[in-house]
Amino acid sequence: MTDVSMIIDGERRAAPSTFGVVNPATGAVHAEAPDCSREQLDEAFAAASKAFVSWRQDEDARRAALKAASAAMRAAGDRIAPVLTAEQGKPLKSAYMEAAGSSYWLKYFANLELPREVIQDDARARAEVVRRPIGVVAAITPWNFPVMLATWKIAPALLAGNTMVLKPSPFTPRSTLLMAEILSEVLPPGVLNVVSGGDELGRWMTAHPVPRKISFTGSVATGKHIATSAAPDLKRVTLELGGNDPAILLDDVDPEAIAGKLFAGAFDNSGQICSAIKRVYVPESLHDAVVEALAARAAAAKVGDGMDPETELGPVQNRPQFERVRDLVAEALAGGAKAATGGAPLDGPGFFYQPTVLTGAAEGTRIVDEEQFGPALPVIPYRDVDEVVARANATMFGLSGSVWSADPDRAGAVAERLDCGTAWVNAHVALGPHQPFGGFKWSGLGVENGPWGLAGFTEIQVQYRAKG
Ligand code: NAD
């Protein structure tokens, strides 16, 4: 039995079986979630297909529904935040912010224009480019921001007139199921169906004949599988994948002054942000001062159960990820790197890891070359700007990056040279619904958010009227 249900065709639905959901602060199963059967997935897609017929027709009704969805999420913090913290691990305050962020995103899209453009109006013809919905969308999300990243898909997809079947990560299904229940009170049946289950359910979804688009956020490895699975049926795909973001400090920064922002950019959500700082490049002359300032900030961070109001950083979300972070750091230390602070798990049954700042790890070490996705950050010295730009770009990742300087123009000129979807100056993880978010190279295909993200949930149609 489980207290959360799937939502199929507007109704709460149990599954034939359930699976356990672990609280990462204790390492123990704390609740159950429905394990969707193949027949139930078929029902969800059938419901989405049926709902598409009328949902696509009335843009005003869709906007009204998204506004109601925004209001419902704004009022839902007390319901969603504790469920999100219990399964994801993040501090309760951050969980409230995630529910509020979802409301904000829904409101933004409720008011975003669906573009129409007249491209010809002369004696021969009037031609207009309009955006049409694609159909049923299969949406698949990861475990780091389950509510927020689901919203990044739901809001634009529904505004454009599509309907959806969404699957959260098996590590964090419950907050998304609860969100679906809340939204089912304001959306017509079948418009948003949410099912839960393991990776196998994701594979069934991407191979299913009904969806015309797959919108996926998760790892590069899974993204590649999904692109392959979409190909035979030419399903449209948007892939938001991993990152290995560099932060490049120029030689005029004040290490003390930027340490707080750098720390937040790397360690918020315990480092489990696709676009978190994953490697810091500092001029040799500033190396020790930056390491000292970052290590002091990291050592002062209160790590604990997200339910504790004092907690700044929660646990790593799941055991495989915890073991990965632990192993990447251990491997770097064995190879000669040093921990300026941290460097080991914390005691306790949960997946707690000490906020860690590493020195002496460079390219060729996995924690520098790969995405660690956890609370451990290598600081790497460099000699000149051309060299560091080349090193920052010498990766198949290309999600985002940042450059830090007392002179924003100087930093901006370097930031322009980064091969990535977002290049920040004196900031990192500064995101908004109006900013297209996506990655170069293996970090993704297509973007989410803003009019560009909305366009990804549409097909272009030319409406051509001959004259005379
Ligand atoms: P993951 O790829 O393991 O899983 C993501 C989702 O895909 C889950 O719901 C999972 O059940 C499902 N899935 C797994 N295998 C599948 C398959 N073969 N077919 C269909 N679905 C399948 O990723 P994760 O570990 O949950 O998330 C962490 C990763 O997500 C990190 O790499 C992170 O950088 C990335 N991420 C990217 C963004 C972005 O916007 N670019 C945002 C957040 C996280």
Side-chain angles (χ1 to χ4, degrees), residues 255 282 286-296 340-341 357-359 379-380:
V282 295
L286 289 177
H287 176 267
D288 292 356
V290 169
V291 168
E292 199 179 312
L294 269 178
T341 186
V357 176
L358 289 178
T359 63
V379 180
I380 308 159

Side-chain angles (χ1 to χ4, degrees), residues 46 73 79 98 106 108 113 129 132 141 146 173 186 209 240 259 266 303 306 319 336 347 373 386 413 440:
M73 286 304 289
R79 287 180 70 192
E98 194 167 330
L106 284 159
Y108 168 82
E113 198 183 327
V129 175
R132 309 303 306 273
T141 51
V186 296
E240 292 288 358
V303 181
R319 180 171 292 284
D347 286 342
F373 217 59
D386 287 343
F440 288 17

Side-chain angles (χ1 to χ4, degrees), residues 86-387:
E87 67 178 3
Q88 205 286 330
K90 63 184 63 195
L92 199 55
K93 196 170 81 180
S94 308
Y96 271 96
M97 278 166 54
E98 194 167 330
S102 167
S103 165
Y104 183 63
W105 247 255
L106 284 159
K107 188 169 166 198
Y108 168 82
F109 280 103
N111 291 305
L112 188 63
E113 198 183 327
L114 269 165
R116 302 179 74 95
E117 195 184 340
V118 177
I119 54 167
Q120 180 184 354
D121 195 4
D122 56 22
R124 284 166 61 89
R126 183 177 196 279
E128 195 176 11
V129 175
V130 302
R131 299 281 175 169
R132 309 303 306 273
I134 301 175
V136 176
V137 176
I140 300 176
T141 51
W143 45 257
N144 57 343
F145 288 89
V147 172
M148 192 60 164
L149 295 176
T151 310
W152 286 20
K153 303 184 185 315
I154 295 167
L158 268 48
L159 172 66
N162 306 285
T163 56
M164 181 175 279
V165 176
L166 183 145
K167 183 193 92 66
S169 165
F171 290 112
T172 54
R174 293 168 50 82
S175 48
T176 312
L177 292 169
L178 185 54
M179 175 185 185
E181 190 182 312
I182 290 162
L183 296 185
S184 72
E185 284 156 26
V186 296
L187 295 173
V191 166
L192 173 64
N193 307 273
V194 177
V195 293
S196 56
D199 296 350
E200 186 67 21
L201 178 62
R203 283 191 281 273
W204 294 343
M205 287 172 72
T206 59
H208 201 280
V210 166
R212 292 308 317 148
K213 158 122 194 167
I214 303 169
S215 178
F216 172 75
T217 304
S219 63
V220 171
T222 307
K224 289 180 182 178
H225 284 299
I226 284 175
T228 307
S229 162
D233 191 30
L234 291 183
K235 292 184 172 81
R236 278 65 179 133
V237 279
T238 298
L239 304 174
E240 292 288 358
L241 308 178
N244 190 12
D245 285 17
I248 299 174
L249 278 48
L250 301 187
D251 58 11
D252 59 358
V253 296
D254 175 350
E256 284 295 330
I258 63 168
K261 275 191 176 182
L262 275 183
F263 177 78
F267 288 87
D268 273 1
N269 212 44
S270 297
Q272 302 163 119
I273 302 182
C274 50
S275 58
I277 300 171
K278 308 233 164 85
R279 40 193 178 127
V280 176
Y281 288 97
V282 295
E284 283 177 345
S285 59
L286 289 177
H287 176 267
D288 292 356
V290 169
V291 168
E292 199 179 312
L294 269 178
R297 182 67 192 75
K302 169 104 173 59
V303 181
D305 188 331
M307 292 295 185
D308 178 345
E310 299 287 301
T311 292
E312 193 179 347
L313 301 180
V316 174
Q317 198 280 323
N318 58 72
R319 180 171 292 284
Q321 186 59 31
F322 168 78
E323 289 174 353
R324 176 174 164 78
V325 173
R326 183 196 66 193
D327 293 352
L328 288 180
V329 172
E331 199 176 301
L333 295 174
K338 298 267 177 290
T341 186
L346 283 158
D347 286 342
F351 310 137
F352 293 105
Y353 197 86
Q354 296 174 0
T356 296
V357 176
L358 289 178
T359 63
E363 289 84 352
T365 311
R366 284 208 299 149
I367 199 158
V368 175
D369 296 344
E370 298 180 14
E371 180 183 41
Q372 66 272 45
F373 217 59
L377 180 68
V379 180
I380 308 159
Y382 72 86
R383 289 226 164 102
D384 72 66
V385 167
D386 287 343
E387 168 217 320

